[in-house]
Amino acid sequence: MSLPEEIVQLICRQLSNHRYLDSQTLSFVCRASKALNRIATPVLYSRFNSWEKMKKMASFLRSISLRPELGGYVQEIVFSRFYWFELTEDYLSIFADVATRLGIDLGSWLEEYPYEAMTQLIIAQIPNVKIMDVSTHEVYADDGVGAFTLLEQMAAQVPRRVSLHQLQQLTIGHSDIRRISVGYFGGIIELAPHIRELTISPCYGLYCDEEPKNTRFSLSNVTKLTIDGGHISKTQLESIVRLCGQLESFEFKHHTIYAGLQEISVTPRELIEILALHKHTLRSISVDLGHRERQKTGMFCFSGLCDDGDQILSLKEFSRLETFKIDGTSVLFPEVANPDYHTNILVNLLPRSIRHVELIDAQYESVANMIRLIDSVAKFPFLEEVTLTGNTADGRLGEDKVEFDKHELDTLHAMLERNGITLGNDRYQAELNAY
């Protein structure tokens, strides 16, 4: 204790962040002395992860309920699916008192949906949280009812007793095959108007079967949107994107959790058109639609080239775009045997502002197109790094591995070195070395 308090606090944070230690280690420090308790307690409660343990979650809720100041220390929290734990009368009594203090009626929540109930009671008592990850398991979605309706009740209070004004990063998700929407988590979003980074995994859409729909929440401050889209349609994707203010980063990856639904999954071209329609000044776009469903010869398939017309044609409208990552099924390179063969696809696709290009699981012809891009580097004066890999076995283009021509690889590598452009992929470099 002869060290400055700032150093002691840093030591406590190291204990809190250590990958092999849990919160109990730091709790021992809190018990060592009154001075250490004062310094270490805010660190101990700054982060909470339920680690799939409902008992741990219940104990945490009891602690911040009995001592509300502890909830004010929470900066980062993770709610994950759980192993069952029977709530005793002691817990139920404390949680009922919290609900009364918050001005809500728990009804049968704790008996029927204890995970969702405790999650909401915790969220209501951590006003300074900045990062939140909520993953539901035994989903409360019967009859189209959203899960976080207790928080919706709190959001409707005048004046409000609960606020999440500090929340900037929110991740929402589930492991249920039912169609769970963004609206399912609407109670959280409604209380947190300043969310800047939103991750949805998986995501079916903005609303599904909820009645009544919560249309009061806003995504106007979201600048980074990451979607693990579970068979998401063009209409559903557009309904989310249009609520966002000015997106700077957009990442989309297809999730197969809803495979087989009647809705048609959004195509790569439609996805870019949606982003352009709402005038988002994007700096980074990442698209991986390689494993989405396609209807081929009367049956579903989950790999292969996209149909002509579904590919991304141009990003020129995104005049500030610096990073573009894409899978090989989202762009079509004409094959050599094709009468319309040319190698201007990437040149016609990319904007002048581009700095980083990543193309994975690509066609054989992608190397020639990359060579043409580097040959036209005067049109792309900010280009710093490229990544290119051929389709892996059982990759996004199908079961066959794509092996690039050695001469073309050598040519491309020499051009990259000559222009001071970094080759940003170890596997591609390994292919070169193998030759």
Side-chain angles (χ1 to χ4, degrees):
M1 291 307 296
S2 63
L3 293 170
E5 282 195 13
E6 292 84 354
I7 302 300
V8 178
Q9 188 180 64
L10 286 173
I11 293 171
C12 292
R13 292 195 181 281
Q14 287 294 319
L15 288 173
S16 176
N17 295 335
H18 199 287
R19 62 180 296 187
Y20 296 115
L21 302 177
D22 59 20
S23 59
Q24 188 177 29
T25 305
L26 188 55
S27 70
F28 293 150
V29 177
C30 294
R31 300 170 193 167
S33 71
K34 290 183 178 179
L36 278 172
N37 183 278
R38 176 175 54 80
I39 298 170
T41 296
V43 179
L44 175 64
Y45 281 87
S46 65
R47 301 170 65 191
F48 175 76
N49 190 326
S50 64
W51 295 113
E52 301 186 351
K53 297 177 181 178
M54 187 173 167
K55 183 178 181 180
K56 182 177 181 180
M57 186 175 173
S59 297
F60 180 78
L61 174 55
R62 179 171 59 181
S63 295
I64 65 173
S65 298
L66 294 174
R67 295 181 57 191
E69 74 277 9
L70 298 178
Y73 295 138
V74 178
Q75 302 283 303
E76 181 177 352
I77 195 161
V78 178
F79 300 99
S80 55
R81 57 184 182 171
F82 59 89
Y83 296 105
W84 186 258
F85 170 69
E86 189 71 34
L87 294 174
T88 63
E89 190 59 39
D90 174 47
Y91 285 101
L92 293 173
S93 176
I94 294 172
F95 299 166
D97 290 343
V98 172
T100 300
R101 173 158 51 87
L102 293 171
I104 57 173
D105 181 10
L106 283 177
S108 59
W109 274 87
L110 284 171
E111 291 77 21
E112 297 183 17
Y113 304 101
Y115 173 81
E116 284 84 359
M118 288 194 296
T119 297
Q120 292 177 90
L121 291 177
I122 290 174
I123 291 173
Q125 298 181 87
I126 51 174
N128 299 313
V129 67
K130 295 180 180 179
I131 302 173
M132 184 185 299
D133 187 332
V134 183
S135 177
T136 62
H137 178 47
E138 293 193 357
V139 175
Y140 173 36
D142 297 330
D143 301 320
V145 179
F148 293 88
T149 53
L150 290 177
L151 292 178
E152 290 179 14
Q153 292 178 37
M154 298 180 212
Q157 293 173 337
V158 180
R160 283 185 179 178
R161 306 184 190 188
V162 174
S163 172
L164 299 173
H165 273 68
Q166 302 295 321
L167 185 59
Q168 296 183 14
Q169 298 179 34
L170 175 63
T171 298
I172 51 180
H174 61 90
S175 57
D176 198 290
I177 59 172
R178 283 176 287 185
R179 302 188 302 174
I180 309 304
S181 67
V182 178
Y184 178 90
F185 301 92
I188 302 174
I189 301 172
E190 189 177 357
L191 289 166
H194 303 303
I195 297 171
R196 297 183 62 84
E197 299 183 17
L198 177 62
T199 299
I200 315 166
S201 177
C203 175
Y204 177 81
L206 186 64
Y207 301 114
C208 298
D209 306 314
E210 300 94 329
E211 288 295 343
K213 293 180 172 65
N214 179 3
T215 58
R216 300 182 301 274
F217 66 79
S218 170
L219 303 177
S220 60
N221 287 311
V222 173
T223 58
K224 181 178 181 180
L225 179 63
T226 301
I227 295 179
D228 198 1
H231 203 102
I232 191 168
S233 67
K234 175 184 176 181
T235 302
Q236 286 284 13
L237 179 62
E238 197 274 337
S239 67
I240 298 173
V241 170
R242 66 177 168 79
L243 288 184
C244 299
Q246 286 296 318
L247 288 178
E248 296 180 1
S249 175
F250 178 81
E251 181 176 344
F252 189 96
K253 184 176 181 180
H254 184 74
H255 195 297
T256 58
I257 190 171
Y258 297 123
L261 293 182
Q262 292 182 352
E263 291 87 346
I264 299 175
S265 297
V266 65
T267 67
R269 184 173 178 176
E270 289 172 340
L271 186 150
I272 296 300
E273 288 174 348
I274 289 170
L275 294 173
L277 174 66
H278 293 280
K279 306 297 182 183
H280 290 295
T281 54
L282 285 150
R283 294 182 179 274
S284 175
I285 298 176
S286 177
V287 178
D288 184 351
L289 283 167
H291 295 298
R292 71 189 184 284
E293 294 176 60
R294 288 92 145 173
Q295 187 77 36
K296 302 281 188 181
T297 61
M299 60 182 295
F300 285 119
C301 66
F302 297 89
S303 62
L305 291 171
C306 64
D307 293 330
D308 192 11
D310 289 343
Q311 73 271 32
I312 299 173
L313 296 176
S314 175
L315 300 168
K316 302 291 186 184
E317 291 187 58
F318 303 99
S319 59
R320 300 176 64 189
L321 189 67
E322 298 179 355
T323 301
F324 182 56
K325 300 179 180 180
I326 191 173
D327 73 277
T329 71
S330 296
V331 60
L332 288 179
F333 298 105
E335 298 178 354
V336 176
N338 192 315
D340 297 325
Y341 173 75
H342 65 90
T343 58
N344 290 321
I345 298 297
L346 294 178
V347 173
N348 295 335
L349 174 70
L350 299 169
R352 174 183 171 83
S353 56
I354 200 70
R355 293 179 181 272
H356 308 275
V357 180
E358 180 175 325
L359 178 59
I360 62 170
D361 282 339
Q363 294 173 246
Y364 177 86
E365 291 77 16
S366 59
V367 182
N369 279 267
M370 188 67 77
I371 290 173
R372 177 59 63 88
L373 175 67
I374 306 306
D375 193 42
S376 307
V377 74
K379 298 180 180 179
F380 308 96
F382 307 106
L383 188 60
E384 299 175 359
E385 181 183 47
V386 298
T387 298
L388 177 64
T389 62
N391 188 60
T392 56
D394 294 319
R396 292 160 179 80
L397 292 183
E399 60 183 13
D400 296 330
K401 180 179 179 180
V402 171
E403 296 189 8
F404 296 137
D405 179 78
K406 177 187 182 303
H407 175 70
E408 285 189 329
L409 285 177
D410 289 341
T411 300
L412 176 58
H413 193 235
M415 294 176 69
L416 291 171
E417 286 190 334
R418 190 162 56 248
N419 287 279
I421 299 173
T422 303
L423 183 64
N425 185 270
D426 292 336
R427 186 182 134 217
Y428 180 26
Q429 187 63 56
E431 289 179 355
L432 287 169
N433 294 337
Y435 282 114

